[in-house]
Each structure stands twice: as structure tokens, then as C-alpha cells.
Amino acid sequence: MKKRNILLLYDNHDLDRQVLRPVDYSTFEEAWIKQGFGNAGNKLYNTAVEQYLTKEDITYSYYTGDETAEEINEKYDMAIFTTANIFNANPYVTPELEEFASAISKFKIPVYILGCGLQCAGYDEIGALANAIKEPTTKFLKAIYQTGGELALRGYATKEFLDKIMPNNTAVVTGCPSFYQRGSGLRISNEKVLEEQFKPSINGNLKYLKQIGMLQVFEEYQNSVYVDQDELAHVLYFHHARKYRNTLELVRKRTLCSVKLLAENRVRLFYDVPVWLSWFREQNITFSCGSRIHGNIAAALAQVPAMVVYRDARTRELAEFFELPNQSGFDKRKSLYEVYLETDYTKFNQNFADKFKNFEKFVISHGISHDLEDRSLFESKMMRHNWEYPELPGKKNLEHIRSDYRKHQNFYGVYENGLDRVRRLLIGIGK
């Protein structure tokens, strides 16, 4: 049996690479600071890719940044680039396209991009994005195709974008790899629970949820839980410095609601995917809703009904591709339970298997992997460990915030209202 040796071109983030063993939360703080940031959605994405490559006839390694192009060409059969929103006009992101194009142009092995997509506010901005980054994107595409590689895209908005850049590109829309890790048989029931059994999990940037009036859900459903992906990691998992207990700073940066939820033990952040997925069932979560696409994909993988509240083209195209219920903004005239009752997963269930097979066809046709339904080797490696929600290293932070909130919640409410008035004033001046 000839083994394929695959290089994963992925961010040098140790936390996101710890897939086959639980994260060491005693060193989480140091790892988070070292890599500069984190996002549990990246972990969900990366777990899927590693699952597809965990086969007897495949070996894979992460790019370290030290290998030369010559060494890569000598050692590996192909490279896989996992990047979600590379087509982005952000001035901090755009230069990366040039850098990637330059690096890939030196490869003599095929480079495959899995689940790449665009980043812009809405579909009506796709043309403007194409004009803004046409030159670096063209170089990037040419570099990929010159290696004999190909691109698998997140959605049809990204395909429309690439068609404006290079009309003859052969990129294939496959959705996000993260959604296929439970196989083609994934289904979400349309059966509804009674309101007294309704227990929602909410995800999304807290300031955005406040902006669209969705924070009221936490008051309406006292059993609801906020599933964070990055915003409050420093409170939950950092343990060395008192500065992470600054309640006033949290109110300013993350809303008063974040402080209240922390004080009430209603915040969870999962950096081990098995724990994340099992939590939905263990806690009897009946609905997931919010603006984090991977937060809702995680729920759907656990067969929990989910709805995406999209705020940009990136999130919208993926929700629409998978036919996951989605909407722009939040109708404050409806209760979340009413929103839940209106969700319908018929199309999702009817078409998911075909989407899975389309992604698997892409993977097999390019020799990347095979039989994505067979997860036996991956699962046997996962079963070597106990996967549990950790004791939080930041428990002293939480104790301080809980005490501080109880003593001064009225003051913090006045403080946040003052900040909101200033923000509204500045917006008015800006107009």
C-alpha cells in the first residue's frame, strides 16, 4: 500500500491543531497569547479535515514555516490549504494573497484549497470586492492552477466572485468541510418540543446581538446558554493576571449582558470538538440560533435544530448552500420559540446526502482521501482519551466578576446606557 504524504498549509496555531487529543487547559492561556487569537470555529473546521485524512494509507504533517519549497516538493505528494475567508479586501488580509501566490508558485506538487470563501458585507458588494482585489486574486488562482491543484468553495457567492476574476476557473462549490464529519446520513428533525421544554443556545458577537435586539432572549429564556467561540476565552481560561477580571472593561467591550451571563454561569466555550458536540445532547439543548456559522454547524452536527442570523455574505452563502434556516437580523416582535416553530429542515434533509457525495467526489477525484463515511481509524484514536468539559482555569476571574456584578449591577447598567448614548451621538455626527 503506497502512502500519500500530505502537507497541511494551516495557521501555526497549536490550539487549533490539537485534534486527536484534548486541549491542555493548564497551558491554554500561554498558547492563546502565543498564537495571537483563537476561534473555536477553526477547531471544528480543522477537526473535519484531520478526520478525512486519518486513513491507513495517508500521512499528514502541518507546515511549520521552516520548510523550503524544495524540501516540500521532495517530501510531500500534495498540499492542502484550509482557509475560510481568504478573498477579503481587508488591508491586513489582502497582502496575504500576494504572499500565498508567491509561495505556492514555487511548489511542484498540487495544492488543493478546501472550503475557501469571500468576505464582504453583502451579495451586492461582490463586484466591488472583485475589482478591489482582482490582481492578487488572479495571481493566487494562477499559482494554484499551475501546480495542478484546484479549489473547493464555500458557496455560490464565492463562485460568482471568482467568475468575475477568472471566467475560466474550474473551482467547485462544496460547502464547508466541517459539515460533513458525521457522514451523509445527518438529519435534523422537524418535530418541535413544547415551550416548557424549550432550551436554546445562542451564539454570536455580543455587541452585534445587542445591535439587532437579540440579547432579550437571555432574559426571556433563563435556561438559555451563550456558546462563545472567542470573546470571553480570557475570562474562562486565563488564570495568571487580575486584569482579566476587569468588569468595567467587559461591559465596555463585551456588553453588560456578558457580565451577567458569566455571573450566572451561562457561558460555555468549547475547544475540544467531541465535548462541544456531546454537550448539546447532555444539556438537552433544543435549538441553536445566532450569527456564528460554525456555532450553528456544531449544533446541526449534534442533530440539534439550528438557525443562522447572518450579518455578511460569508455567513449567508454557507447557510444558503446547506439550506439551513437563516435570516438577516432578528424580528423582536417574535419570541425565539416562535422562530423555532417556523424553522423547517425538509430541504436540508432531502439534499444533504447529495452535498456530502459532491464533496467526497472532489476529495476522491483529486486523490486527497477516500471513503469519508469510514471514520473508524479516526474514532479509535479519539477514544484513547477522556473528553470532558474542563475545570475552568479562570474560576477566580469568574468569582470576582460574580461578586462585582452582584454589588454594582445598577452602576454598570447606568455606565452602559451612557456609552450607548455617546455612540448614538457619534453616529449622528458622522452622518
Side-chain angles (χ1 to χ4, degrees), residues 285-392:
I285 301 298
T286 54
F287 188 50
S288 170
C289 185
S291 60
R292 290 283 199 167
I293 187 65
H294 284 104
N296 290 304
I297 288 176
L301 287 170
Q303 297 182 291
V304 172
M307 191 184 80
V308 178
V309 180
Y310 63 81
R311 58 185 297 190
D312 55 23
R314 176 183 63 88
T315 306
R316 180 182 179 183
E317 73 163 343
L318 199 48
E320 290 182 344
F321 174 80
F322 281 108
E323 297 171 287
L324 201 63
N326 60 88
Q327 64 184 37
S328 172
F330 186 74
D331 187 349
K332 291 179 282 187
R333 296 169 297 180
K334 294 181 180 179
S335 70
L336 190 65
Y337 183 70
E338 290 174 310
V339 173
Y340 159 74
L341 291 178
E342 293 172 358
T343 56
D344 186 348
Y345 300 90
T346 302
K347 289 185 177 180
F348 175 89
N349 292 333
Q350 288 174 343
N351 299 320
F352 183 81
D354 287 340
K355 292 178 171 64
F356 176 94
K357 290 173 184 175
N358 181 52
F359 175 72
E360 186 178 51
K361 179 182 177 182
F362 178 92
V363 168
I364 293 174
S365 66
H366 294 292
I368 298 169
S369 187
H370 54 85
D371 192 5
L372 301 191
E373 298 276 18
D374 180 8
R375 305 188 298 279
S376 54
L377 182 59
F378 178 80
E379 290 177 352
S380 69
K381 291 186 176 184
M382 299 289 277
M383 288 174 63
R384 297 172 186 173
H385 304 280
N386 293 322
W387 298 88
E388 298 177 349
Y389 192 69
E391 181 179 352
L392 296 174

Side-chain angles (χ1 to χ4, degrees), residues 91-337:
Y92 296 103
V93 177
T94 306
E96 291 184 353
L97 276 170
E98 298 265 7
E99 294 171 10
F100 292 146
S102 177
I104 291 169
S105 67
K106 298 180 179 67
F107 286 9
K108 295 179 180 179
I109 57 172
V111 178
Y112 298 103
I113 316 294
L114 297 184
C116 64
L118 55 70
Q119 175 84 51
C120 61
Y123 288 172
D124 57 348
E125 294 188 11
I126 293 174
L129 178 64
N131 290 332
I133 61 172
K134 183 170 185 176
E135 184 176 345
T137 303
T138 301
K139 290 179 181 178
F140 179 76
L141 293 176
K142 286 182 177 179
I144 296 296
Y145 285 126
Q146 284 171 4
T147 69
E150 188 54 275
L151 298 90
L153 310 180
R154 288 165 64 96
Y156 291 106
T158 300
K159 179 62 174 171
E160 179 185 339
F161 164 79
L162 290 185
D163 286 343
K164 293 179 183 296
I165 300 289
M166 185 183 287
N168 297 320
N169 78 84
T170 53
V172 180
V173 178
T174 63
C176 181
S178 65
F179 223 144
Y180 300 119
Q181 58 190 294
R182 288 296 176 97
S184 64
L186 181 65
R187 298 293 182 271
I188 300 175
S189 175
N190 272 319
E191 293 184 13
K192 308 299 182 184
V193 301
L194 298 173
E195 189 165 15
E196 53 265 32
Q197 299 170 310
F198 184 62
K199 185 176 181 179
S201 68
I202 309 300
N203 57 74
N205 176 279
L206 286 164
K207 281 194 172 180
Y208 174 70
L209 297 182
K210 181 180 178 181
Q211 177 186 327
I212 63 174
M214 198 170 165
L215 291 185
Q216 68 184 34
V217 169
F218 292 112
E219 292 297 324
E220 294 168 356
Y221 301 94
Q222 289 292 316
N223 62 348
S224 60
V225 182
Y226 173 55
V227 179
D228 185 25
Q229 289 182 205
D230 55 3
E231 287 193 275
L232 300 172
H234 63 293
V235 178
L236 299 172
Y237 294 122
F238 286 19
H239 52 84
H240 286 148
R242 288 187 59 85
K243 66 179 180 180
Y244 303 121
R245 307 170 198 172
N246 190 325
T247 312
L248 201 63
E249 188 77 354
L250 275 177
V251 174
R252 185 176 71 83
K253 289 186 174 180
R254 309 299 182 198
T255 76
L256 177 59
C257 184
S258 73
V259 175
K260 184 175 188 295
L261 293 171
L262 287 166
E264 295 174 351
N265 191 30
R266 293 167 65 189
V267 179
R268 297 291 181 272
L269 193 159
F270 304 96
Y271 235 83
D272 288 317
V273 170
V275 179
W276 194 355
L277 300 189
S278 63
W279 174 84
F280 287 102
R281 288 296 179 191
E282 292 168 359
Q283 296 299 313
N284 296 314
I285 301 298
T286 54
F287 188 50
S288 170
C289 185
S291 60
R292 290 283 199 167
I293 187 65
H294 284 104
N296 290 304
I297 288 176
L301 287 170
Q303 297 182 291
V304 172
M307 191 184 80
V308 178
V309 180
Y310 63 81
R311 58 185 297 190
D312 55 23
R314 176 183 63 88
T315 306
R316 180 182 179 183
E317 73 163 343
L318 199 48
E320 290 182 344
F321 174 80
F322 281 108
E323 297 171 287
L324 201 63
N326 60 88
Q327 64 184 37
S328 172
F330 186 74
D331 187 349
K332 291 179 282 187
R333 296 169 297 180
K334 294 181 180 179
S335 70
L336 190 65
Y337 183 70

Side-chain angles (χ1 to χ4, degrees), residues 396-414:
K396 288 186 178 179
N397 302 333
L398 291 168
E399 289 169 2
H400 172 82
I401 289 168
R402 188 174 296 118
S403 174
D404 208 35
Y405 174 72
R406 288 171 179 165
K407 291 178 183 175
H408 307 297
Q409 58 181 295
N410 290 335
F411 165 73
Y412 290 131
V414 171

